[in-house]
Amino acid sequence: MAIVLGAIADDFTGATDLANNLVRAGMRCVQVIGVPDPATVIEDVDAVVVALKSRACPADEAVADSLAALDWLQAQGARQLFFKYCSTFDSTDAGNIGPVADALLERLRATETERLRATETERLRATVTERLGGSQTVMVPAFPINGRTVYQGHLFVGDRLLNDSGMQHHPLNPMRDADLVRVLGRQTPHPVGLAARPTLVQGGDATRRHLQALAAEGIRHVICDTLDEDDLAVLAEAVVDMPLVTGGSGLGQALPAQYRRWGWLDEVTDPGRLVPASGAALVLSGSCSRATLGQVDHFLERHPGFALEPLALAEGDAHLQAALSFARERLADGGPVLVYASADPERVKAAQAALGVERAGQLVEAALGELASTLVGEGVGRLIVAGGESSGAVVSALGVTMMRIGEQIDPGVPWTQAPLPGRSDSNAPLSLALKSGNFGGKDFFTRAFDVLPTGRPS
Ligand code: ADP
């Protein structure tokens, strides 16, 4: 069955954020990690989000990976493509938002021309949406409920302009200009236009006509104002049949209602339904963010935990083996148990001073990966990982390549399930919650297991 929405996300947590919003808006959704094998077909989903690592890499790599993702999503029959980036428009003058959007549009135009040639009926049908066929896309980064809004093309974070929000100090992509028309203008040789609020308040049809007028002038990229959810709904109505849209997960939240209006998407009662979870419960934490430290303390007041010390890990295998035996003993009756490297800034600094920042991080990440693959092989079936980098390390150690997105535990963090042939019970998927540093309430680790429906006893 063909999918409705195929998304290409420029980083892993951004992909999950979008996927989570799509499920909440009524789409069954799978996130894949990297571009799948061409033969891979995913069943029973309405949307697939391909997670790339294309935000900060060289632009030509980002373009190549994004085009590979586009080809695969088109082969899955995606009706609409969505290039997802951060709501703070994270990019530099070298890219990657402009070059990737240009390359995707060009590829779409090429495939569309081929399709037009294919049959006369196809040609007739295609003329209906010809205005948009690979010739124009919109840029909708805003995520109003998280305080990211756009007015007259200027991006705000809360009440600050982007270049005064802290983002001007970002280590990889300092955002020193809030005027997105200008920012994007430096990333593409093509003209950039604006769909401003006075147009949006006139509704979806007026906005659509405005986009068409801009397309007739040859304007390829249109930055869109967005102050609130109503603006997102208007934009979704105006662009629902555009082959490629781009933006943050706010737009993702607004599109599914339009897909239903167009009859592309059935009403699904429980889009985030997962199979009942099974297996022992483990938390691995490599995040030292403030929210995680609070979650670790809260968990340790109720359940057992083992503190991983980078300095001890550097001395040989004994420390990791001790962590494994500790966890095994507690997992025998189902857990939950926590193994954590999370530490306050002083202890982190001490470890980094002794080992170097990179090596301290690598030791922790390698240990978390090893713990995850060993313990999942021995029966862990419900796993929470705290930390963005830590999650990346665990997911690659486990060989996870796709995750079905379930219900949200806390804003932005859903339960997911990954088919994992390495599990002792290979028929049951691994239930996995990946939480980046500052997400989640204080009781996240305990509550997450409480809200996950389980089937068989562990
Ligand atoms: P977050 O999402 O909170 O930023 P990440 O997992 O992305 O968490 O990053 C945390 C980094 O800190 C990882 O590279 C991890 O290996 C490293 N780390 C974790 N614990 C320690 C520690 N005690 N000392 C030094 N580095 C640590």
Side-chain angles (χ1 to χ4, degrees), residues 265-347:
L265 180 67
D266 293 334
E267 202 75 52
V268 184
T269 40
D270 198 359
R273 189 165 66 203
L274 300 175
V275 304
S278 61
L282 171 69
V283 185
L284 295 174
S285 178
S287 158
C288 302
S289 299
R290 196 181 304 158
T292 307
L293 297 180
Q295 290 154 357
V296 166
D297 286 345
H298 183 272
F299 185 93
L300 290 176
E301 283 162 19
R302 290 157 184 80
H303 302 287
F306 185 98
L308 280 179
E309 300 289 346
L311 287 167
L313 288 172
E315 278 165 21
D317 199 37
H319 189 56
L320 180 61
Q321 290 307 323
L324 269 172
S325 329
F326 179 93
R328 275 187 188 120
E329 204 172 299
R330 273 85 186 168
L331 288 168
D333 51 2
V337 61
L338 165 69
V339 181
Y340 62 103
S342 313
D344 59 43
E346 251 141 62
R347 286 182 39 222

Side-chain angles (χ1 to χ4, degrees), residues 184-443:
L184 189 67
R186 292 191 288 264
Q187 298 181 30
T188 171
H190 301 282
V192 179
L194 176 67
R197 187 100 200 305
T199 305
L200 266 59
V201 293
Q202 295 171 43
D205 288 341
T207 304
R208 176 181 287 258
R209 282 195 301 276
H210 177 66
L211 293 171
Q212 285 167 344
L214 291 176
E217 288 170 32
I219 303 233
R220 202 185 243 233
H221 303 289
V222 185
I223 302 287
C224 298
D225 276 5
T226 314
L227 292 192
D228 51 28
E229 308 297 313
D230 290 345
D231 289 345
L232 283 175
V234 165
L235 286 168
E237 189 186 334
V239 304
V240 58
D241 56 337
M242 199 177 253
L244 172 72
V245 294
T246 86
S249 51
L251 180 62
Q253 207 173 302
L255 282 167
Q258 299 300 325
Y259 299 148
R260 278 191 291 272
R261 274 190 59 204
W262 281 55
W264 294 352
L265 180 67
D266 293 334
E267 202 75 52
V268 184
T269 40
D270 198 359
R273 189 165 66 203
L274 300 175
V275 304
S278 61
L282 171 69
V283 185
L284 295 174
S285 178
S287 158
C288 302
S289 299
R290 196 181 304 158
T292 307
L293 297 180
Q295 290 154 357
V296 166
D297 286 345
H298 183 272
F299 185 93
L300 290 176
E301 283 162 19
R302 290 157 184 80
H303 302 287
F306 185 98
L308 280 179
E309 300 289 346
L311 287 167
L313 288 172
E315 278 165 21
D317 199 37
H319 189 56
L320 180 61
Q321 290 307 323
L324 269 172
S325 329
F326 179 93
R328 275 187 188 120
E329 204 172 299
R330 273 85 186 168
L331 288 168
D333 51 2
V337 61
L338 165 69
V339 181
Y340 62 103
S342 313
D344 59 43
E346 251 141 62
R347 286 182 39 222
V348 172
K349 243 183 251 156
Q352 289 174 337
L355 298 164
V357 176
E358 207 167 305
R359 181 152 145 77
Q362 277 168 357
L363 282 164
V364 169
E365 285 166 32
L368 295 177
E370 178 76 29
L371 285 160
S373 54
T374 307
L375 295 171
V376 166
E378 293 174 6
V380 163
R382 295 172 288 153
L383 174 64
I384 299 173
V385 189
E389 293 298 323
S390 307
S391 294
V394 166
V395 158
S396 74
L398 288 171
V400 168
T401 56
M402 71 171 71
M403 307 178 324
R404 182 171 280 269
I405 308 297
E407 294 291 333
Q408 172 173 291
I409 306 161
D410 267 338
V413 198
W415 269 112
T416 73
Q417 279 180 339
L420 211 59
R423 266 197 81 188
S424 51
D425 177 356
S426 59
N427 291 323
L430 171 70
S431 298
L432 192 58
L434 305 172
K435 184 198 84 77
S436 55
N438 273 320
F439 282 54
K442 202 169 169 52
D443 60 349

Side-chain angles (χ1 to χ4, degrees), residues 53-138:
K53 277 190 187 166
S54 56
R55 183 171 297 168
C57 68
D60 53 350
E61 267 173 46
V63 163
D65 290 350
S66 304
L67 287 176
L70 172 83
D71 292 345
W72 183 79
L73 288 166
Q74 283 202 304
Q76 306 300 306
R79 281 179 186 262
Q80 185 166 47
L81 293 147
F82 189 132
F83 169 34
K84 157 76 174 70
Y85 40 78
C86 191
S87 60
T88 42
F89 212 74
D90 295 25
S91 54
T92 68
D93 289 354
N96 292 338
I97 295 176
V100 168
D102 277 329
L104 294 174
L105 279 175
E106 272 146 34
R107 176 66 57 93
L108 279 173
R109 194 184 340 229
T111 48
E112 186 131 322
T113 315
E114 234 165 73
R115 202 162 56 79
L116 285 180
R117 278 201 207 99
T119 70
E120 184 65 12
T121 8
E122 279 290 338
R123 194 188 70 76
L124 288 174
R125 196 181 313 147
T127 49
V128 179
T129 54
E130 199 171 47
R131 63 171 179 108
L132 307 165
S135 59
Q136 188 186 64
T137 188
V138 286

